[in-house]
């Protein structure tokens, strides 16, 4: 419909709510909450940089090295470096965010290819 990723927004909101309630029960809750949410955002930004390279350089064959390779690689490296410096709990949260995103991607792609095959027969 509208192009708004409703399921992704609702899922991210639900996860943030659960983590917020959990963090509120800890003495260092605000620090934990901030680090977990920040790592989730950094993981998403890292994947965004990778997708820019994949879309423009690989799929579309762009020759603009600066905008479609150098800048996304630099941005991705900065995000990864910040993730490396994060607390162990934040790293686990980041891996969970990333794994969840990969699972959703695989499920959606498999669902699309199944629909395509069934309509083609």
């Amino acid at each position: 419909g509208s192009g708004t990723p409703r399921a992704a927004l609702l899922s991210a909101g639900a996860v943030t709510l659960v983590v917020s309630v959990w963090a509120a029960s800890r003495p260092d809750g605000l620090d934990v909450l901030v680090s977990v949410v920040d790592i989730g955002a950094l993981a998403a930004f890292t994947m965004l940089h990778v997708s820019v390279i994949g879309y423009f350089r690989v799929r579309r064959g762009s020759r603009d090295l600066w905008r479609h390779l150098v800048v996304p690689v630099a941005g991705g490296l900065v995000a990864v470096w910040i993730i490396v410096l994060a607390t162990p709990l934040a790293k686990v949260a980041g891996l969970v965010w990333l794994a969840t995103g990969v699972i959703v991607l695989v499920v959606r792609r498999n669902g699309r290819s199944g629909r395509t095959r069934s309509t083609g027969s």
Side-chain angles (χ1 to χ4, degrees), residues 11-96:
S11 299
V15 169
T16 302
L17 178 63
V18 169
V19 171
S20 298
V21 170
W22 170 75
S25 69
R26 297 174 52 109
D28 60 346
L30 183 58
D31 291 337
V32 170
L33 180 61
V34 168
S35 66
V36 167
V37 171
D38 285 350
I39 289 298
L42 286 166
F45 286 135
T46 302
M47 296 313 296
L48 173 68
H49 292 299
V50 170
S51 67
V52 165
I53 295 167
Y55 180 76
F56 287 103
R57 294 281 301 160
V58 175
R59 278 183 131 179
R60 301 200 64 202
S62 172
R63 295 178 190 246
D64 187 344
L65 289 177
W66 182 252
R67 289 191 315 163
H68 300 144
L69 186 65
V70 174
V71 171
V73 165
L77 288 174
V78 169
V80 168
W81 181 248
I82 294 169
I83 292 170
V84 166
L85 297 176
T87 65
L89 177 61
K91 288 177 189 173
V92 168
L95 286 174
V96 169

Side-chain angles (χ1 to χ4, degrees), residues 86-111:
T87 65
L89 177 61
K91 288 177 189 173
V92 168
L95 286 174
V96 169
W97 278 106
L98 184 59
T100 302
V102 169
I103 290 168
V104 168
L105 176 66
V106 167
V107 167
R108 288 188 63 149
R109 284 201 174 166
N110 286 341

Side-chain angles (χ1 to χ4, degrees), residues 14 27 29 121:
S121 26

